Amino acid sequence: MLQTAPAPIRSILVIQTKFIGDLVLASVLSENLRLEFPDARLVFLCEARFASFVVAHNIASEVVTFRRAHLRGTPIQRGKELYGVVRALRRFHFDLTIDLADSKTSRMLTGLVNAKTRVGYNPTERPLRLLERQPANVFAKPFGFGGEHFVYRYLSPLQALGVALHVTVPNLQPLPPETSNALALLGKHHLHPNAFIAVHAGASFEGRRWQPERFAEAIGEIAGETGLGVVLVGGPDERGIAERIVARTASPVVNLVGALSLETLLAVLKQARLFLGNESGPMHMAAAAGIPVVGLFGLTPPSQWGPVGVPNIALQPPMPCDCVASDRCGRPDFARAYCVWRLEVQPVVDAVRELLLRTDVKLERAI
């Protein structure tokens, strides 16, 4: 009896509605999908402000975007936004959808797109609510391939599909024009490649931000000891944090917060000697560009969200912690915990010093 060959996968939708760090980690899924389905059209659903970065760095060949503010707006705004997203997605006639977001909204979109093969997680990250259903017909483990890091959560759909795993570490390199822009910008501030530390003092949530005053103290000690320059990076909404650091730092600091596109930010990070910052998207971008990272963590486990693929030191205060923000801390919710505030300055300075020595090329050759 003749067996019918499986239908080819010609179009793939990856639903990743979270933050830039999640998209950086999800780029590894993209790499593996391209190797397995080289002729397929790969589309990401992501927030509008990330669209140019996702396409420019070939995380996806095309994007469909949404506006988070509208999804969190009035019922009318939310309805209009969802209607527009569904219309845009249905034009592609997807053969395969992969729901990395694992949310109520992403599951609804998966059902409405209704591809033949729909991958979702089992169990879901949060239990399904009343009247909610899981529209997936292929189920991925919460963490596949035996990995604990969240990069393996985003790779887990491959295992569910029976697709071989070839790439496990994000690798995002700046585009040549953006490298030129970054070098020109650094030159204006008399900074040379590999002669400065990139510092990101922001994060998506307040509780993940180490205190600006402590950043300022650590920066002053590091710059005074090493002679390295310091460049502050971050988004427009983090300008206030940067200004507090600049006002309290004796050493000269170049403040580029709010002045860079994501594409140029990646190029600036690529030129850095080391990255120092909170658990955040720029931390994952620096690691994907191949830069050593000192990451500052609170309640979030570094084993799941730490930088991957580069020399790194992840600092976290001892747990369980004596709460320093009992009036606002929302443990066990990682996004509402303030545990990173318990990190002292000296361990951070020591970690930067150690990682600089560990990654000193001249020192390694001498040894």
Side-chain angles (χ1 to χ4, degrees), residues 339-352:
C339 305
V340 73
W341 286 13
R342 293 183 59 245
L343 280 177
E344 299 294 337
V345 170
Q346 200 55 51
V348 174
V349 173
D350 291 343
V352 171

Side-chain angles (χ1 to χ4, degrees), residues 277-332:
N278 302 312
E279 177 212 349
S280 65
M283 181 194 75
H284 291 295
M285 290 174 67
I291 305 306
V293 171
V294 173
L296 311 182
F297 288 76
L299 186 62
T300 308
S303 60
Q304 287 193 331
W305 282 105
V308 292
V310 293
N312 71 85
I313 297 175
L315 295 175
Q316 183 182 39
M319 295 291 171
C321 71
D322 299 322
C323 193
V324 294
S326 57
D327 59 328
R328 67 182 81 184
C329 191
R331 290 182 298 176

Side-chain angles (χ1 to χ4, degrees), residues 250-264:
S251 303
V253 174
V254 175
N255 183 5
L256 298 182
V257 172
L260 307 175
S261 67
L262 286 172
E263 292 88 340
T264 308

Side-chain angles (χ1 to χ4, degrees), residues 24 53 56-57 172-187 191-198 231 233 256 259-275 281-282 284-291:
V24 170
F53 183 85
H57 293 283
L172 297 176
Q173 298 305 314
L175 305 173
E178 297 300 342
T179 297
S180 298
N181 291 340
L183 291 173
L185 184 59
L186 293 170
L191 289 172
H192 300 287
N194 207 40
F196 67 93
I197 293 174
V231 175
V233 298
L256 298 182
L260 307 175
S261 67
L262 286 172
E263 292 88 340
T264 308
L265 171 59
L266 183 69
V268 168
L269 293 174
K270 181 66 178 180
Q271 303 303 319
R273 174 68 180 81
L274 179 143
F275 175 91
H284 291 295
M285 290 174 67
I291 305 306

